[in-house]
Amino acid sequence: MVETVTIPGPAPLTGSFFAATQPRAFAVLNGATGVPHRFYRHFAAWLAETQGVSCLTYDYRDFGASSRGPVRDVTASMLDWGLHDTQAARNWLETRAKGLPLWLMGHSLGGLMLARQERTKDIARVITVCTGPVHTTDHPWPFQATVRALWFAVGPLSTATFGYVPKQFSGLGTDIPGPVFKQWKRWCTTRGYPAKDPLIPAAPLAAFSCPVRTVSMSDDTSVPPVAVERMTELYPGNDTEHLALTPQQFGLRKVGHVDVFRHENAKVWPALIA
């Protein structure tokens, strides 16, 4: 069963709740930058229908189904999405879970700030997929040239002209609000940014009492495995397990950064939660 839900918080969020018939756990899936929550519907349905895990997906404030006006007027930052909205979604899910185990899952941006949430000791599982503190120099060539063009030419020019980065230029197929882009650029062009951005709160030592699973894909050019391996910087003191996957393990030619959650690549999904 799928239910459209409204999540209260600093800004109202719209999402979808996939209810398992007899749930053994509840999961919130925090999406990647510029990826609408509907993209994750097949994975969320698989969790609910075959794994007994009820799953919440949603769009960050002023994006996708949570949009409330023109993108040029958005004031939300990437930290609002990655920290405050993920907390609001998790708070909503806790009221549904009624004491059952709670999983935090994050794709790319969705996994960066989880250790900075409240009440982290209550979480049963943490799984991040293609998440890591990536720096521009981590990207392989020629993709690095595309990223540099976005950070230093296309993005700044677009935000100065339109107030946002149009989907034709973002490379994501969705418009990126100006404040989100500016903070995103600052993070990805600053080494060790979590400790250098004064707006990012410090992560408590050993925030989680459960292991943290970080998953990388060998052909991910957006957040390469070398960046995923740095996740200990974001989750200091935690028991962090890095699972390095390749498309060939599953008989696939390519998977990459976003398409790990595409229905055509469902062969990968059991490994994410195993």
Side-chain angles (χ1 to χ4, degrees):
M1 182 179 71
V2 184
E3 175 187 358
T4 299
V5 300
T6 299
I7 301 165
L13 310 175
T14 297
S16 299
F17 181 65
F18 297 76
T21 303
Q22 294 182 313
R24 63 183 176 93
F26 282 68
V28 54
L29 176 54
N30 306 297
T33 304
V35 180
H37 84 284
R38 65 178 181 274
F39 176 78
Y40 300 100
R41 66 190 183 280
H42 297 297
F43 177 79
W46 173 79
L47 276 182
E49 295 169 7
T50 72
Q51 305 299 309
V53 179
S54 295
C55 184
L56 170 67
T57 64
Y58 66 97
D59 282 326
Y60 298 120
R61 71 181 73 181
D62 298 321
F63 173 75
S66 299
S67 296
R68 294 180 295 171
V71 65
R72 64 177 177 273
D73 296 334
V74 172
T75 59
S77 68
M78 179 158 273
L79 189 61
D80 287 327
W81 286 6
L83 177 58
H84 305 301
D85 291 350
T86 61
Q87 180 75 60
R90 176 264 186 95
N91 291 347
W92 182 92
L93 189 64
E94 281 181 324
T95 65
R96 290 284 184 107
K98 300 186 185 303
L100 284 175
L102 195 66
W103 296 9
L104 297 186
M105 301 188 69
H107 181 205
S108 196
L109 167 66
L112 286 177
M113 298 294 156
L114 299 182
R116 291 156 171 82
Q117 287 191 2
E118 301 171 356
R119 308 183 313 281
T120 49
K121 296 291 185 182
D122 300 336
I123 302 302
R125 290 199 73 181
V126 178
I127 302 171
T128 69
V129 181
C130 300
T131 297
V134 66
H135 184 266
T136 304
T137 56
D138 294 328
H139 304 292
W141 294 90
F143 182 71
Q144 189 178 137
T146 301
V147 173
R148 287 180 178 276
L150 176 64
W151 293 151
F152 301 111
V154 175
L157 181 61
S158 296
T159 54
T161 304
F162 308 110
Y164 65 98
V165 182
K167 59 185 178 182
Q168 297 91 332
F169 306 146
S170 71
L172 298 172
T174 56
D175 298 331
I176 301 300
V180 170
F181 170 79
K182 291 175 182 177
Q183 192 169 43
W184 189 17
K185 173 192 172 183
R186 187 161 63 250
W187 289 359
C188 293
T189 57
T190 303
R191 295 186 186 277
Y193 72 82
K196 295 178 180 178
D197 188 335
L199 298 177
I200 299 177
L205 186 65
F208 298 103
S209 56
C210 64
V212 176
R213 165 171 286 194
T214 67
V215 182
S216 67
M217 292 301 307
S218 62
D219 63 337
D220 182 358
T221 57
S222 295
V223 183
V226 65
V228 177
E229 290 171 359
R230 296 194 197 109
M231 284 296 284
T232 51
E233 298 175 17
L234 303 181
Y235 296 88
N238 288 282
D239 179 9
T240 306
E241 169 203 11
H242 178 209
L243 180 64
L245 301 179
T246 70
Q248 291 71 31
Q249 288 176 248
F250 307 95
L252 300 170
R253 187 173 65 86
K254 63 178 182 178
V255 175
H257 183 68
V258 173
D259 287 351
V260 65
F261 286 101
R262 193 175 291 280
H263 186 251
E264 291 85 343
N265 296 324
K267 292 179 181 179
V268 179
W269 298 348
L272 303 183
I273 68 167

